[in-house]
Amino acid sequence: MHFTSERRLDDDVIERAFSLGEIPGFLWTPAPASVSAPVPLILLGHPPLGLGRMYPRLLARALHSAGEGFATATIELPGSGDRPRWPAVDQARADLRRAMGAGEPVSDEIVDALVLPLVDKAAPEWQAALDALLSLPEIGGPVGYSGGVISIGVRLAVVEPRIVAAGLFAGSLVPRAIFDEARRVTIPLHVLLQWDDEGNDRQAALDLFDAFGSKEKSLHANMGGHTGVPQFAGEAAAQFFSRHLK
């Protein structure tokens, strides 16, 4: 991990941009973080729209988490932002747009081609980033995962034992294979669902929640579309991570 910039934000939150090989990312640490007082870490998941486009929302989540005493970090997803384009996934996105524009059902083949390669590549990259982040003296764990793509969150919850709790954003197309993996998830889960999300299959989101094998799992459904998440939803997620990471 190579840090490329550093600046101090409000409330003495330190923002550092970094690169991990070809992968760019950000790390935000609260003022109390130090060698003598390392803090827990939350990995901030996000859709594959590019860090530049997602930065304002990621920053808001990072500042809120810093106020709760957590460091946060995120990385650019494969095929997004300034990373090399991914022709196969780009084609799957085009097929998805074509099907939705024509009012046709989105086939399992399109969902698999769009999501599974992303999960297969992104999950090991998140684990590599976690290796580097936990080597920093001011980051002590435990670790949570917050956000989407929900299929990436499911994979990490299964394969990464250092992640002890996850707050997942329902709202992405989910391959049938991920439903099978969801049954193997055992960590505590806090799942956020926008009831009227225009880009989400509500029933599929409910079915995925039902499939999770966790003994502790809660579903928080709010009225409204994809961008209508109420402020108190973030407060509830913060309470969830406070219970499991402190």
Side-chain angles (χ1 to χ4, degrees):
M1 176 177 286
H2 173 64
F3 289 107
T4 57
S5 70
E6 177 176 320
R7 64 176 182 143
R8 187 175 296 271
L9 307 176
D10 295 341
D11 299 322
D12 286 336
V13 176
I14 302 298
E15 177 189 88
R16 284 176 281 179
F18 65 80
S19 60
L20 188 68
E22 67 171 13
I23 307 168
F26 288 99
L27 169 65
W28 295 274
T29 50
S34 65
V35 175
S36 59
V39 296
L41 173 67
I42 298 175
L43 304 177
L44 298 183
H46 54 89
L49 301 176
L51 281 182
R53 182 173 172 184
M54 291 301 302
Y55 176 82
R57 280 188 276 176
L58 290 165
L59 176 61
R61 291 164 60 191
L63 292 176
H64 190 276
S65 296
E68 301 293 328
F70 302 124
T72 51
T74 194
I75 58 173
E76 186 73 89
L77 292 176
S80 298
D82 294 329
R83 296 189 63 181
R85 302 308 303 170
W86 201 347
V89 174
D90 286 344
Q91 181 60 54
R93 287 174 180 155
D95 293 340
L96 174 65
R97 288 192 296 268
R98 188 180 304 111
M100 295 181 69
E104 300 172 353
V106 179
S107 68
D108 289 344
E109 290 76 15
I110 292 176
V111 174
D112 288 354
L114 179 66
V115 178
L116 289 178
L118 179 64
V119 173
D120 289 343
K121 185 163 184 166
E125 291 181 351
W126 272 113
Q127 290 182 289
L130 187 54
D131 290 340
L133 291 162
L134 289 179
S135 71
L136 301 173
E138 68 271 27
I139 307 296
V143 180
Y145 178 88
S146 173
V149 173
I150 195 169
S151 294
I152 295 175
V154 171
R155 174 67 58 81
L156 287 172
V158 172
V159 303
E160 180 45 74
R162 293 171 292 185
I163 295 177
V164 302
L168 302 176
F169 296 177
S172 50
L173 299 165
V174 180
R176 295 185 183 276
I178 298 296
F179 278 79
D180 294 334
E181 294 187 36
R183 297 181 177 92
R184 297 162 50 200
V185 174
T186 59
I187 62 174
L189 297 176
H190 176 104
V191 181
L192 176 64
L193 170 64
Q194 285 301 104
W195 199 250
D196 304 305
D197 189 337
E198 57 280 2
N200 185 36
D201 183 333
R202 182 196 303 163
Q203 189 57 53
L206 295 174
D207 291 344
L208 180 63
F209 179 79
D210 189 52
F212 285 125
S214 303
K215 291 183 178 179
E216 180 186 337
K217 58 180 181 179
S218 59
L219 178 67
H220 299 255
N222 297 288
M223 303 304 293
H226 186 73
T227 59
V229 181
Q231 183 176 351
F232 62 76
E235 296 168 358
Q239 292 171 2
F240 167 79
F241 282 117
S242 291
R243 288 199 306 274
H244 294 288
L245 300 186
K246 290 186 176 179

